[in-house]
Amino acid sequence: MSAVTESAASLRHLVLIDGSGFIFRAFHGLPPMTRSDGTPVNAVYGFTTMLLKLLNDSAADHIAVIFDSSRKTFRTDLYPEYKAHRPPPPEELVPQFPLVREAVRAFDVACIEMEGFEADDLIAAYARAATLQGATVTIVSSDKDLMQLVGDRVAMFDPMKNRTIGPDEVFEKFGVGPERVVDVQALCGDAADNVPGVPGIGIKTAAQLIGEYGDLETLLARAGEIKQPKRRQTLIDNAAMARLSRDLVKLRDDMDLPEPVSALAVRALVPERLAAFLAEQGFRSLINRLDLKAPPRPPVASVPVSASAAEAAPAPAGFSRDQYELVLDLDTLDRWIAAAIEAGIIGFDTETDSLDSMRARLVGVSLAVAPGRACYIPVIHNPPAAQGSLDFGDASAESAGPKPIPADQILARLAPLLADPSVLKVGHNIKYDMQVLASLGVPVTPIDDTMLLSYVLDGASHGHGLDELAQLHLGHTNISFSEVCGTGKSQITFDRVPLEKARDYAAEDADVTLRLHQLLKPRLLAEKMVEVYETLERPLIPVIVAMERAGLKVDRAFLQALSEDFGRRLADLEAEVIALNGGEAFNLASPQQLGKVLFETLNLPGGKKTKTGQWATGADILEELAPLHPLPARLLDWRQLAKLKSTYTDALVAQINPATGRVHTSFSLAATTTGRLSSSDPNLQNIPIRTEEGRKIRRAFIAEPGFCLISADYSQIELRLVAHVAGIEGLRTAFAEGRDIHAITASQVFGVPLEAVDSSLRRRAKAINFGIIYGISPFGLAAQLGIPQGEAKAYIEAYFGRYPEIRAFMEQTKEEARTHGFVRTPFGRKVFTPGIKDKNGAARAFAERAAINGPIQGGAADIIKRAMVRLPAALVEAGMTARLLLQVHDELVLEAPEAEAEATIAVVRRVMEGAACLSVPLLVEAAAAPSWDEAH
DNA sequence: AGCCTCACG
DNA sequence: GACGTACGTGAGGCTT
């Protein structure tokens, strides 16, 4: 009996895994990890968990992982530019390529590659061979280039999105069926692979053309019939390009297979072999998870196979939904609450009908009391909105079926649990859940937050969304929100999701949160981040919740009047600008059109192009042009007012919450690389102040009658941190003596007596001081001061000469970044520095400047966070009723009864100045007034 | 979706 | 010898 016949008898379902695609995704999706010997292994780890999950989930009888062999293939012979602009793989990835192949062999899975062909070609060839033998094939990849292979017996599966890709999904992506994908790609090209395509034709146009003419050859033959003249000509001119592109994109399936299909048969796992490999890589958690000392795992199950096998397969071990329960009666609720108290720690999540926590209504609550044991407690449940039918208010017929427990009864039972000091509530971005519950009068304490844990541990090396972390740390794909609620116009609110579906989604979130907590919390200690998390981040959450809920009062009528005033002046300025352009109208808001007007119509000199080849028209350029022509100055005025009107006066009025009459920003605690907060919807950290027109907007931020706003800001906090961190004696003394720091700097650096420092010298010294904070460069300083680079360089040398400690600090900081991949602030926060070893000099220099800025900006962020954490209790203790409203990096804004203004200021100053004990004093300037503008 | 510009610290 | 750069954010408008 020949090998081929033998395999034909048992070959029913072949799984082909795009190994090369996975390596890159794993590498870029995971934070850096190294083995004890220093070898980077993050891609190996990611690949291993993905392979593990696939082996568990799939019902294949044959399986292979396919790799690219080398960069040179028949395609590069055809077209040397193919993938030519791809940078070489990152340094940290290179040693991982062989390790990933080792991983495949450790699982005893076939590992296929072939000189001269890409993995995609081999996948095509094996898919063809298997389907000829009557088998079905699942291609595990998310590479759109493979979509041309989809058919009756061939499906794709995207493991990241947990989504099967069949003909419908291909049509969705390309606008044509799988058999015409190649023709569409030939027309639209592919920027990522440097496939040229036909200029000016994108995926939409390509699909439309192929749909109309049937295929590429017919289209090219009949190109003369196309109505649009421009399109007709480009197609005629680029027919050869299109054919070349097609040959590049079309997968070859006609080579001799390096291994027969029969060699891909699934083999029983050899536990010792796998354990040895995992141990070598230091993947202890995987060894434990697989329980590798126990009897060997049976080979992959051989259940009947369909294209959707991956979807139908049971969830991976430990992620069963069997113990997710819907809570619809009080007895069940009480059982879960008892289990929560017993456990002492729960995963916790709320579902609502809005992303805006100030408008959201509580739709349901989910709790997880142990991994895999979770429940969903619906609070509001409405029938799905029937499409196209009118609502006759006859809800009874539709909503027949299980009803939630009345909301007040749920809250009465849950509130004691949520406030129970012996039960830790673990949420993911629990700030949001606390907001929603606070609106219902339900406090939540004590708490932990997996989003913040992830943020302090891994910084900006990856996102901190729940779905992303589940994938990363648990190898689990969460049910996506869009799967449950849809997207775009047809998106429904969570209260309309059928209960069983809602249970699976919501319970999973609580479950995953609890599991992530088990993984992340212990890392705090191991990675020396306990202090940062426990004293800076976690206690800040309730403070931020209160600030966001308080909001700020804005003077609506004043803003509207301002908006109208701006509007009139904008119209006048526009008319002036158009007149100055010889009466030729153009869109003043379009940099592209403006560039043409300035440098082509008016022919003004000094035009520069941005990196995309457009004319640069930034404020600095327009200022240079101002002496030459009246138009640029008018346009600057127009831009200023246009910005103020659209971003501030109009937007702020629209953001006033109807229920409170105030604007409520959202602070993000896990957004920045340095540890700062960020503010959005609306952003209240960038309200204008630098110009007179802009300050008018600040005047609209006011206190309630009988109250005042207090603004308290740290004076020169970042420069003080430089003096402290770098130990600069000259600056330390100046700060200790309470001197004008920029004047002192000018005097010391330029070698003139203090009395002789004029405003120009002081301005230059100030720019250098700022430059130091940003990781100074002659270019940057020169641009800032409008002086030649040589002069800027001399200033920097003089500065380093006078303050020699700064040079050592900069070198040490860069070295720290190179050895660890991060720098630490004086309070222990890690600021990650990706790119610090980049071999591109510019990229590296960028990372170096960011590294120098890290401890300074991050340290200042730590200090104000410490102040914010301590302030509420200090105010209460002093008998003050003031509320914190805003944080703007070095400034806090409070609202206080007028009568308490002075006493409140005293408390605020004491807390802020005492928030850290550095080798330089901290100084806070504070004032009270009816509006933010006057208080500042 | 990416770019440009600009508001803040 | 040329290149491309001050650090960190979020929002609005234009263009593709």
Side-chain angles (χ1 to χ4, degrees):
Chain A
M1 195 196 280
S2 78
V4 173
T5 355
E6 188 182 280
S7 87
S10 60
L11 173 66
R12 295 165 72 180
H13 188 201
L14 168 64
V15 167
L16 295 165
I17 300 167
D18 172 15
S20 293
F22 267 170
I23 296 180
F24 282 91
R25 291 179 79 174
F27 179 75
H28 289 112
L30 289 172
M33 299 167 58
T34 51
R35 228 158 60 172
S36 50
D37 67 354
T39 312
V41 286
N42 64 333
V44 182
Y45 180 80
F47 182 88
T48 307
T49 51
M50 277 191 284
L51 188 55
L52 201 56
K53 181 168 187 299
L54 283 168
L55 288 172
N56 266 323
D57 287 2
S58 98
D61 45 64
H62 285 61
I63 190 162
V65 183
I66 323 265
F67 293 98
D68 291 332
S69 166
S70 62
R71 296 189 80 150
K72 235 179 88 47
T73 64
F74 72 91
R75 289 187 179 82
T76 47
D77 292 340
L78 223 53
Y79 183 62
E81 304 303 304
Y82 178 73
K83 293 194 177 177
H85 65 325
R86 287 269 179 98
E91 220 178 295
E92 292 81 8
L93 183 52
V94 174
Q96 303 193 56
F97 287 120
L99 286 179
V100 166
R101 286 166 174 78
E102 255 185 61
V104 179
R105 284 187 282 269
F107 280 97
D108 222 337
V109 165
C111 181
I112 308 279
E113 59 192 284
M114 191 178 190
E115 195 70 25
F117 293 95
E118 294 185 50
D120 290 0
D121 298 307
L122 289 162
I123 289 173
Y126 277 102
R128 174 163 166 265
T131 46
L132 283 177
Q133 294 178 37
T136 55
V137 176
T138 302
I139 298 168
V140 181
S141 173
S142 50
D143 186 344
K144 63 182 183 324
D145 295 341
L146 286 163
M147 289 190 182
Q148 58 182 274
L149 300 176
V150 169
D152 287 347
R153 315 193 72 96
V154 181
M156 277 175 75
F157 176 68
D158 180 343
M160 308 298 276
K161 297 192 178 131
N162 216 358
R163 189 172 90 113
T164 301
I165 299 165
D168 291 348
E169 287 78 14
V170 174
F171 193 89
E172 198 180 303
K173 166 91 190 164
F174 282 105
V176 294
E179 63 289 347
R180 289 285 157 251
V181 163
V182 168
D183 293 347
V184 166
Q185 286 187 289
L187 289 172
C188 61
D190 184 345
D193 294 348
N194 221 19
V195 172
V198 176
I201 295 197
I203 201 160
K204 285 271 160 58
T205 315
Q208 182 214 325
L209 287 169
I210 294 300
E212 204 172 324
Y213 291 87
D215 61 49
L216 182 68
E217 279 309 327
T218 315
L219 168 68
L220 293 177
R222 293 169 50 194
E225 300 168 20
I226 293 172
K227 288 176 210 80
Q228 301 91 328
K230 204 165 168 198
R231 185 177 294 172
R232 181 173 62 230
Q233 200 53 47
T234 29
L235 265 173
I236 293 170
D237 293 347
N238 290 284
M241 265 308 177
R243 292 196 177 93
L244 169 66
S245 300
R246 178 191 53 200
D247 295 341
L248 289 175
V249 165
K250 176 134 183 62
L251 297 178
R252 286 266 302 271
D253 59 7
D254 57 351
M255 77 291 278
D256 291 328
L257 299 179
E259 302 271 353
V261 179
S262 59
L264 314 187
V266 166
R267 294 178 285 263
L269 200 73
V270 184
E272 297 76 23
R273 194 169 166 188
L274 181 56
F277 171 79
L278 296 176
E280 197 182 338
Q281 311 313 319
F283 298 162
R284 281 186 28 233
S285 62
L286 287 184
I287 296 177
N288 294 337
R289 203 163 105 196
L290 293 173
D291 209 6
L292 275 176
K293 275 155 216 145
R297 189 171 61 85
V300 175
S302 55
V303 279
V305 161
S306 73
S308 61
E311 260 187 355
F319 261 105
S320 156
R321 292 177 195 139
D322 296 351
Q323 295 185 61
Y324 289 174
E325 190 177 16
L326 202 50
V327 178
L328 293 166
D329 60 76
L330 283 174
D331 284 348
T332 313
L333 180 57
D334 288 339
R335 263 199 298 112
W336 280 97
I337 289 174
I341 292 168
E342 168 79 26
I345 171 171
I346 57 171
F348 165 65
D349 191 30
T350 57
E351 304 301 333
T352 68
D353 59 359
S354 167
L355 276 174
D356 178 350
S357 57
M358 285 300 294
R359 294 169 198 234
R361 292 185 312 158
L362 183 68
V363 169
V365 176
S366 54
L367 310 177
V369 297
R373 277 189 65 202
C375 68
Y376 177 60
I377 310 155
V379 176
I380 304 175
H381 180 56
N382 289 315
Q387 212 166 16
S389 79
L390 291 170
D391 182 2
F392 293 106
D394 179 21
S396 55
E398 280 182 288
S399 60
K403 279 208 171 62
I405 306 167
D408 53 342
Q409 293 182 31
I410 295 175
L411 289 177
R413 295 292 215 297
L414 278 183
L417 176 70
L418 295 178
D420 187 334
S422 67
V423 180
L424 180 66
K425 273 67 66 173
V426 184
H428 192 83
N429 190 17
I430 201 170
K431 184 193 82 170
Y432 181 87
D433 310 282
M434 289 170 71
Q435 303 268 29
V436 173
L437 287 161
S439 303
L440 299 166
V442 177
V444 183
T445 182
I447 54 166
D448 245 343
D449 190 327
T450 44
M451 188 178 75
L452 285 185
L453 284 167
S454 174
Y455 175 67
V456 299
L457 288 167
D458 294 331
S461 58
H462 55 74
H464 307 290
L466 188 63
D467 293 353
E468 188 171 347
L469 297 186
Q471 193 62 248
L472 189 64
H473 296 301
L474 307 171
H476 175 71
T477 306
N478 281 349
I479 305 169
S480 75
F481 185 78
S482 56
E483 241 169 276
V484 175
C485 292
T487 53
K489 277 195 102 165
S490 58
Q491 191 169 68
I492 57 169
T493 48
F494 202 84
D495 54 294
R496 300 199 175 272
V497 175
L499 281 177
E500 318 261 293
K501 217 168 160 184
R503 172 199 61 201
D504 287 348
Y505 175 86
E508 179 180 71
D509 276 2
D511 183 13
V512 165
T513 302
L514 187 60
R515 290 175 198 244
L516 283 174
H517 185 261
Q518 292 182 342
L519 279 174
L520 297 178
K521 193 76 188 276
R523 281 181 55 198
L524 285 182
L525 199 59
E527 296 170 33
K528 302 190 168 56
M529 293 303 293
V530 173
E531 183 86 359
V532 170
Y533 177 76
E534 299 286 351
T535 69
L536 258 37
E537 300 294 331
R538 185 170 65 179
L540 194 61
I541 300 173
V543 179
I544 300 284
V545 167
M547 288 168 68
E548 293 184 3
R549 284 176 51 74
L552 270 94
K553 185 176 168 75
V554 296
D555 188 336
R556 180 196 293 266
F558 179 79
L559 278 177
Q560 280 167 341
L562 208 50
S563 176
E564 282 163 28
D565 174 47
F566 289 161
R568 278 189 296 272
R569 289 159 60 193
L570 281 167
D572 292 347
L573 282 166
E574 182 173 355
E576 270 187 74
V577 169
I578 298 301
L580 286 167
N581 188 38
E584 190 76 21
F586 71 101
N587 184 352
L588 277 63
S590 162
Q592 192 205 46
Q593 295 177 33
L594 174 64
K596 284 195 182 142
V597 166
L598 292 174
F599 302 111
E600 292 171 26
T601 313
L602 301 178
N603 228 352
L604 294 172
K608 283 185 219 151
K609 298 277 181 91
T610 66
K611 54 176 169 264
T612 51
Q614 288 209 58
W615 290 112
T617 69
D620 48 343
I621 305 267
L622 296 187
E623 271 157 32
E624 281 175 38
L625 296 174
L628 307 174
H629 194 281
L631 192 147
R634 300 285 83 188
L635 203 111
L636 279 170
D637 291 340
W638 184 90
R639 274 215 183 135
Q640 191 198 6
L641 292 184
K643 174 83 177 180
L644 294 178
K645 183 172 188 294
S646 66
T647 309
Y648 299 105
T649 54
D650 293 349
L652 277 173
V653 169
Q655 289 274 3
I656 297 173
N657 184 303
T660 65
R662 295 166 73 105
V663 289
H664 305 264
T665 185
S666 173
F667 286 105
S668 176
L669 289 81
T672 68
T673 53
T674 56
R676 275 188 176 180
L677 301 181
S678 83
S679 156
S680 62
D681 308 300
N683 182 354
L684 295 185
Q685 290 183 322
N686 71 347
I687 301 301
I689 189 167
R690 292 175 187 171
T691 67
E692 188 44 46
E693 292 299 334
R695 290 187 83 116
K696 291 181 181 167
I697 287 159
R698 235 167 233 246
R699 236 167 278 162
F701 288 82
I702 53 177
E704 294 289 344
F707 287 72
C708 60
L709 291 184
I710 293 170
S711 163
D713 69 286
Y714 282 110
S715 162
Q716 307 291 355
I717 188 167
E718 294 196 343
L719 205 51
R720 285 170 201 263
L721 267 153
V722 172
H724 170 79
V725 177
I728 300 172
E729 215 32 65
L731 289 181
R732 282 215 296 233
T733 315
F735 277 127
E737 293 169 359
R739 314 291 282 274
D740 175 345
I741 194 71
H742 300 313
I744 293 273
T745 304
S747 157
Q748 295 184 341
V749 170
F750 299 122
V752 298
L754 195 55
E755 316 83 70
V757 173
D758 60 9
S759 63
S760 161
L761 272 188
R762 185 179 183 280
R763 187 178 63 89
R764 274 175 275 176
K766 186 175 173 181
I768 309 176
N769 278 332
F770 269 101
I772 296 295
I773 293 167
Y774 298 151
I776 201 155
S777 75
F779 177 93
L781 184 62
Q784 180 64 37
L785 286 174
I787 57 174
Q789 243 186 90
E791 203 175 320
K793 202 166 173 210
Y795 287 179
I796 295 170
E797 285 307 319
Y799 194 99
F800 284 1
R802 183 59 189 78
Y803 305 125
E805 302 94 334
I806 192 76
R807 202 193 292 267
F809 160 72
M810 289 184 165
E811 287 312 314
Q812 278 165 19
T813 307
K814 288 188 269 186
E815 187 54 35
E816 185 188 352
R818 279 191 292 268
T819 34
H820 298 114
F822 59 81
V823 294
R824 278 194 191 250
T825 68
F827 304 90
R829 177 187 305 280
K830 290 178 181 174
V831 176
F832 289 84
T833 57
I836 196 75
K837 289 183 175 169
D838 201 306
K839 57 188 184 350
N840 175 328
R844 200 172 55 244
F846 184 77
E848 286 173 355
R849 291 194 298 270
I852 290 164
N853 179 253
I856 302 166
Q857 190 183 118
D862 293 341
I863 291 175
I864 198 166
K865 282 183 173 177
R866 287 162 68 104
M868 292 168 73
V869 166
R870 297 172 185 188
L871 190 53
L875 287 168
V876 169
E877 200 178 327
M880 299 294 116
T881 57
R883 296 187 297 179
L884 252 181
L885 306 183
L886 273 188
Q887 187 250 48
V888 193
H889 310 309
D890 65 355
E891 174 190 7
L892 295 177
V893 179
L894 297 92
E895 190 169 24
E898 274 167 10
E900 295 176 10
E902 288 315 308
T904 302
I905 285 178
V907 175
V908 172
R909 284 191 62 155
R910 193 186 76 229
V911 169
M912 287 176 76
E913 290 180 350
C917 188
L918 308 179
S919 56
V920 289
L922 292 175
L923 180 70
V924 168
E925 288 166 355
S931 81
W932 191 9
D933 179 43
E934 299 154 281
H936 199 284

